C-alpha cells in the first residue's frame, strides 16, 4: 500500500486545515496508508545548523523519505504560504549530502499536492505552491482543493466542508494516487 505523508500547515491543534486533512484521509481510506508529520520542533532554517542537523529536521526528512507522496494542507497567511511551512520546505529541499549542494534532497522527486483552507487568498497561495514545489524538484499534482471556512467554525471550531469540497478531495486523492502508478 502506498504511503502518503500529510503536512498540516497550521500547528494549532484541531486547526481547520487539520480537519480538512481528516476528510482527505477518509478519501484515501483503503487505498493508501496515511501518516501525519510532526514538524512542530523544526527550527528556523540556518546553514549554521546543517553540519549538526537538529533531530527534528532529521526526523522530518526521514518521514518524507519513507513516504511515497506528500499532501500539504495549507492555511493562507497574508495572501502567502505560511512562513513556518516555507521554512519546513526549505529544510526538506536542502541536499542530503552537504558536499553536493545540487544533489538529491529528502523531498526530491516526491509526488506532492496541496489543499487550502482559508477565507481568502486561495489563488495567490496556490500560485506560490505551483511555482515552489516544481522548483524544489517535486512531482507536483496540480489538483488543488480550495475551501472557505464556514461561518460557524469561528464560533465552535468545527470546520464543515461543503459537498463540493468533499468531491474535490476525492478527485485530488485519485489524482495523487494515479501519479504514484
Amino acid at each position: 500500500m502506498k504511503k502518503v505523508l500529510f503536512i498540516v500547515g497550521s500547528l494549532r491543534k484541531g486547526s481547520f486545515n487539520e480537519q480538512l486533512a481528516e476528510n482527505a484521509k477518509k478519501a484515501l481510506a483503503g487505498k493508501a496508508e496515511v501518516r501525519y508529520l510532526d514538524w512542530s520542533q523544526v527550527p528556523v532554517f540556518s546553514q549554521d545548523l546543517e553540519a549538526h542537523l537538529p533531530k527534528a529536521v532529521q526526523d522530518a526528512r526521514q518521514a518524507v523519505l519513507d513516504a511515497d507522496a506528500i499532501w500539504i494542507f495549507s492555511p493562507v497567511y497574508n495572501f502567502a504560504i505560511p512562513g513556518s511551512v516555507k521554512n519546513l520546505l526549505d529544510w526538506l529541499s536542502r541536499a542530503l549530502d552537504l558536499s553536493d549542494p545540487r544533489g538529491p534532497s529528502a523531498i526530491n522527486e516526491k509526488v506532492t499536492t496541496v489543499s487550502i483552507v482559508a477565507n481568502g487568498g486561495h489563488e495567490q497561495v496556490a500560485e506560490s505552491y505551483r511555482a515552489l514545489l516544481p522548483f524544489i524538484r517535486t512531482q507536483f499534482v496540480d489538483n488543488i482543493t480550495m475551501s472557505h471556512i464556514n461561518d460557524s467554525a469561528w464560533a465552535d471550531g468545527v470546520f464543515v466542508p461543503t459537498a463540493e469540497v468533499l468531491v474535490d478531495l476525492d478527485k485530488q486523492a485519485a489524482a495523487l494516487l494515479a501519479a504514484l502508478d
Side-chain angles (χ1 to χ4, degrees), residues 16-89:
F16 302 137
N17 279 277
E18 183 179 348
Q19 292 178 55
L20 182 65
E22 284 298 311
N23 284 283
K25 184 177 179 181
K26 292 174 188 171
L28 291 170
K31 302 170 192 159
E33 176 186 323
V34 171
R35 291 197 177 151
Y36 286 80
L37 179 65
D38 177 4
W39 57 283
S40 60
Q41 300 303 308
V42 170
V44 173
F45 177 79
S46 169
Q47 282 185 302
D48 293 339
L49 299 176
E50 280 190 296
H52 302 287
L53 210 57
K55 182 170 179 0
V57 175
Q58 291 175 28
D59 292 347
R61 283 183 174 177
Q62 191 58 55
V64 168
L65 287 165
D66 291 344
D68 296 304
I70 310 298
W71 194 334
I72 300 168
F73 298 87
S74 183
V76 174
Y77 292 174
N78 296 319
F79 284 73
I81 296 171
S84 54
V85 176
K86 176 65 169 65
N87 179 66
L88 173 65
L89 293 171

Side-chain angles (χ1 to χ4, degrees), residues 4 8 13 76 111 133 153 165 178-179:
V4 179
V8 177
K13 299 291 182 210
V76 174
V111 172
L133 292 171
V165 166

